[in-house]
Amino acid sequence: MSDPTMSSMVTTPRAEQPTAPGATAPTDAGLPENQQADKPRGLLGDAWRDLRRKPLFWISSFFIVLFLVMAAFPSLFTSADPDYGTLSRSRVGPSADAWFGYDVQGRDVYARVIYGARASIMVAVLSTLGTVLIGGLVGVIAGFRGGWFDAVLSRIADIFFGLPFVLGAIVILFTFNPPGANRGEFEIIMLVVASLILLSWPVSMRIMRSSVLATKEADYIVAARALGASNLRIVFKHLIPNCLAPLLVYSTILVGSFIGAEATLSFLGVGLQSPVVSWGVMINESQNYIRVSLYLLLFPAAFLVTAVLSFVMLGEAVREALDPKMR
């Protein structure tokens, strides 16, 4: 005999209601956003979802795009020649004719600030690309191979890492670009880029090496190796895509750091030099007239600080979006 209390607890499945011809099945489109089924997203999808909610990301992106357009198309912002000057308007202050005034040689400071973005950003971007590519490649090789190969590459990186950055750059630039050397704009820019890459790649190498060491024993790497995947396929298909996040954050911040480094070297007289127009060169030219013509320093320094802060803030926003612990 069955227990009536138990039989009352048994529920019968509800019969499915037939759907009328031409009618669609009910969906969750009318539900609130927090009740709808989330679609699967990858790391970049989650990062973009977090980034677009941050005002800091949009503010920094706006200034970065503005500086990039300024560097690529300076004629959109001014029609004046940055190299044309006349002594009759030497150190004339800001006015309606020249918003930022004129420098010692009577050149339009506003036009020079606009055109100066090209050299400063070009040095920073090229140096960042070279640093990330060289350091990242060495880090992948060292972390994946391991053993004595890793030890040798790490000791070489320690040698470069121990060199003082500013002192090393001064020695390199004074050796290959001594005062009085008649070099073109492109040669001067590439010398500065090469010195920055030579002194900065060990940091990228360490970041990439640590990411590879933490990832190469993951289950999907072991499974790919068990299925017969070659080392080349494992590195380019699995390791590098899953180890790029820390290097991407570092490279974003590095662009701003290199803009400041170029200005520092140019201010010391060993970085970019005339006839190259850059923010650092303008700051160097204004140091003797700070007390009487402060605007010669103020405007290029303001653009320089804004550019550095924009890239640093963007890097911080990207770091918070890519780091699961920061969410």
Side-chain angles (χ1 to χ4, degrees), residues 257-324:
S257 301
F258 278 149
I259 293 176
E262 177 274 320
T264 301
L265 296 175
S266 299
F267 177 77
L268 295 175
V270 297
L272 300 181
Q273 301 172 7
S274 183
V276 180
V277 181
S278 75
W279 296 329
V281 172
M282 296 182 65
I283 294 175
N284 180 34
E285 294 174 347
S286 67
Q287 59 181 326
N288 295 327
Y289 306 94
I290 294 178
R291 294 185 178 181
V292 294
S293 301
L294 183 61
Y295 65 90
L296 296 178
L297 170 68
L298 180 62
F299 293 113
F303 275 71
L304 174 67
V305 172
T306 304
V308 173
L309 288 179
S310 299
F311 282 101
V312 172
M313 289 190 301
L314 179 63
E316 289 296 325
V318 173
R319 182 182 65 84
E320 293 178 2
L322 291 177
D323 190 357

Side-chain angles (χ1 to χ4, degrees), residues 85-153:
T86 175
L87 295 179
S88 61
R89 56 189 188 188
S90 176
R91 291 195 294 110
V92 176
S95 62
D97 296 330
W99 295 350
F100 294 173
Y102 297 96
D103 65 1
V104 180
Q105 299 183 17
R107 297 171 297 191
D108 192 339
V109 175
Y110 173 74
R112 291 180 64 80
V113 168
I114 296 299
Y115 278 86
R118 172 177 294 177
S120 298
I121 293 179
M122 182 184 298
V123 168
V125 172
L126 292 178
S127 301
T128 301
L129 289 176
T131 301
V132 169
L133 290 177
I134 296 175
L137 180 60
V138 176
V140 169
I141 296 173
F144 186 73
R145 289 292 300 273
W148 67 268
F149 200 78
D150 180 20
V152 171
L153 291 178

Side-chain angles (χ1 to χ4, degrees), residues 9 43 49 58 63 77 110 208-209 235 251 263 265 300 322:
M9 297 174 61
L43 178 63
R49 184 185 182 187
W58 292 110
F63 282 106
F77 298 87
Y110 173 74
M208 199 64 176
R209 175 181 174 273
V235 168
S251 62
L265 296 175
L322 291 177

Side-chain angles (χ1 to χ4, degrees), residues 163-175 195 198-199 265:
L163 295 175
F165 182 83
V166 176
L167 180 59
I170 291 175
V171 171
I172 294 173
L173 293 174
F174 260 120
T175 301
S195 64
L198 186 64
L199 296 170
L265 296 175

Side-chain angles (χ1 to χ4, degrees), residues 165-235:
F165 182 83
V166 176
L167 180 59
I170 291 175
V171 171
I172 294 173
L173 293 174
F174 260 120
T175 301
F176 294 96
N177 187 31
N182 294 324
R183 297 186 182 275
E185 295 186 16
F186 182 76
E187 290 181 307
I188 297 175
I189 290 176
M190 294 311 299
L191 281 174
V192 176
V193 169
S195 64
L196 294 178
I197 294 174
L198 186 64
L199 296 170
S200 303
W201 70 268
V203 181
S204 300
M205 180 265 183
R206 288 186 172 187
I207 293 174
M208 199 64 176
R209 175 181 174 273
S210 62
S211 299
V212 171
L213 290 175
T215 308
K216 72 175 185 178
E217 299 300 333
D219 293 339
Y220 59 90
I221 300 294
V222 176
R225 187 178 288 110
L227 291 174
S230 63
N231 290 337
L232 198 63
R233 178 177 177 82
I234 291 175
V235 168

